[in-house]
Amino acid sequence: MTLKQVGIDSLKVSRFLAQEDPLALLTRELGPKFVSYRQAWDEARTFKRLPPFPIHVDYELKAECDLKCPICPRGGLNNQLQKSSKELSGARVKRLIKKGAALGQSSMGFGGLWEPLTSPVAELVALGREMGLVDVILSTNGQRLTRAVSQDLIAAGLTRLMISVDAATPRTYAKTRPGGDYGLLENNIYEFLAARKKAKSRLPLLRLSFCLTNLNEGELEAFLAKWSKVVDFFSIQSYGLYSSAKGQGLFPKKTLYPVPGGRCAQPWKRLLVRHDGLVAPCCDLSGYDLAIGDISKQSLGAIWNSHLFKNVRESLAGPKDSWPAQCVLCQDKYAPVN
């Protein structure tokens, strides 16, 4: 299967190149609770029902990463974030997980602008599953995904493992993921698959992602050909600016898929708890600086149901000029600024 055969829609690439439809596989593995969770997700996504508590919460424990990727505001061309020594402690995250599960939260992830495997996240994964969270997701650059780490994550009950690759050769990987080792990454991917097979587990599903820029656009076909019979599914993404000031030179010649448009449903489904305790209303880099609360002052439930969060949701239902500036940037970020 090639891009030419499926067109330029990244969702079709994911669908046709997956070993099996990921949601169908997760439904079979996780049962009725997963079905209920996805129904609630779809109701929120289509604005039919705002849940009383976020369906999904992402946690960023540190402002730390071991790579300097040019597409990320934590390093490279978009190095626009101040260094921070603040951390979201594991103890606090454990309290948030327990409280969220009691209030109806269904899933969690480790998101934001950090590398989760710089922290012992397997115990948090295990706690989430123990508390009844049906879907627990981890995104990583894969450099620290040793066989032992893979075994711990599998045993903890992780449901989805997402690895950012962005290249098909060591030379290009050195440009897209400075500080990383492509050979080590490949080895870690195969070590994870071997560990999963040895555990006789179908989970966690493995996703590889490729963010298309002018650094790697000539390798997308090779990337898909290399991994299409190996991993469970893909995410093929187009590059977007974190801010309008930097990163212009990274745009590919052609945007891979029709860019998002219309009303955003992220604030109806999820939120992100940053390393400094501030809460953002979505998982997108553009919304990272849109603070709608602080867990040192309010509970997540109070933040979710606050007037400020309500105003953000209502503004996104209106004309674009009423949106928060971060949301405008998010929708405009897939094309160079003139």
Side-chain angles (χ1 to χ4, degrees):
M1 187 65 66
T2 68
L3 283 177
K4 186 175 180 180
Q5 288 172 288
V6 300
I8 62 169
D9 188 329
S10 71
L11 296 179
K12 291 182 179 178
V13 173
S14 298
R15 186 180 306 123
F16 285 104
L17 290 179
Q19 300 294 301
E20 182 179 347
D21 178 81
L23 294 181
L25 199 156
L26 287 165
T27 297
R28 189 174 69 243
E29 292 292 319
L30 299 171
K33 284 191 66 176
F34 185 81
V35 174
S36 298
Y37 147 59
R38 295 309 298 184
Q39 287 175 343
W41 186 269
D42 287 339
E43 288 175 353
R45 179 181 60 83
T46 54
F47 314 106
K48 294 177 181 176
R49 178 177 177 270
L50 177 68
F53 193 84
I55 298 169
H56 178 96
V57 177
D58 281 307
Y59 301 103
E60 177 193 59
L61 275 68
K62 301 177 181 178
E64 178 182 330
C65 186
D66 46 5
L67 301 186
K68 298 293 183 182
C69 306
I71 63 172
C72 178
R74 188 66 72 194
L77 292 174
N78 285 343
N79 188 9
Q80 299 164 61
L81 298 179
Q82 294 182 348
K83 291 184 178 180
S84 173
S85 60
K86 294 181 179 180
E87 294 188 7
L88 189 64
S89 71
R92 170 162 268 184
V93 174
K94 288 177 181 179
R95 292 195 295 271
L96 291 172
I97 290 171
K98 292 176 181 178
K99 185 68 172 180
L103 293 173
Q105 180 184 334
S106 296
S107 65
M108 74 174 187
F110 300 93
L113 297 169
W114 72 307
E115 169 49 50
L117 295 186
T118 60
S119 294
V121 294
E123 61 183 276
L124 301 177
V125 172
L127 177 64
R129 294 305 308 277
E130 179 186 339
M131 292 293 103
L133 301 187
V134 67
D135 199 11
V136 180
I137 304 164
L138 188 146
S139 300
T140 175
N141 60 40
Q143 291 293 305
R144 296 170 183 253
L145 189 68
T146 63
R147 171 72 77 103
V149 170
S150 290
Q151 290 171 336
D152 288 345
L153 292 172
I154 293 165
L158 188 71
T159 54
R160 305 193 221 187
L161 176 64
M162 303 180 177
I163 303 177
S164 300
V165 179
D166 299 342
T169 64
R171 182 177 179 180
T172 298
Y173 189 77
K175 297 177 183 178
T176 61
R177 297 268 157 187
D181 183 322
Y182 185 75
L184 175 65
L185 174 65
E186 279 194 336
N187 181 72
N188 288 349
I189 291 172
Y190 286 115
E191 285 285 323
F192 162 77
L193 291 168
R196 190 177 70 174
K197 182 177 181 180
K198 185 175 181 180
K200 298 181 180 180
S201 176
R202 193 63 186 85
L203 301 178
L205 298 188
L206 176 60
R207 186 194 86 174
L208 300 188
S209 65
F210 190 106
C211 182
L212 195 70
T213 68
N214 67 352
L215 300 174
N216 62 11
E217 57 189 325
E219 292 193 1
L220 180 55
E221 291 274 8
F223 166 79
L224 293 170
K226 179 179 180 64
W227 296 108
S228 62
K229 299 294 177 70
V230 178
V231 305
D232 298 302
F233 66 118
F234 293 99
S235 176
I236 312 301
Q237 305 151 351
S238 277
Y239 170 68
L241 285 175
Y242 171 72
S243 84
S244 60
K246 297 183 180 181
Q248 293 286 321
L250 293 175
F251 281 101
K253 293 178 181 177
K254 186 175 183 180
T255 300
L256 180 64
Y257 56 90
V259 300
R263 187 178 177 188
C264 176
Q266 292 282 333
W268 284 64
K269 302 180 294 186
R270 68 195 303 160
L271 49 73
L272 163 70
V273 183
R274 294 177 14 169
H275 68 280
D276 54 6
L278 297 180
V279 176
C282 67
C283 65
D284 193 274
L285 298 186
S286 299
Y288 185 82
D289 292 328
L290 181 56
I292 42 89
D294 184 336
I295 60 168
S296 68
K297 300 175 181 178
Q298 296 171 281
S299 69
L300 282 185
I303 293 170
W304 179 256
N305 293 294
S306 67
H307 288 298
L308 179 56
F309 212 159
K310 180 181 179 182
N311 290 340
V312 169
R313 295 186 189 103
E314 289 180 348
S315 73
L316 291 173
K320 196 172 182 180
D321 59 10
S322 70
W323 298 359
Q326 294 90 338
C327 300
V328 174
L329 173 62
C330 182
Q331 193 165 92
D332 290 346
K333 68 185 177 182
Y334 293 101
V337 177
N338 295 321

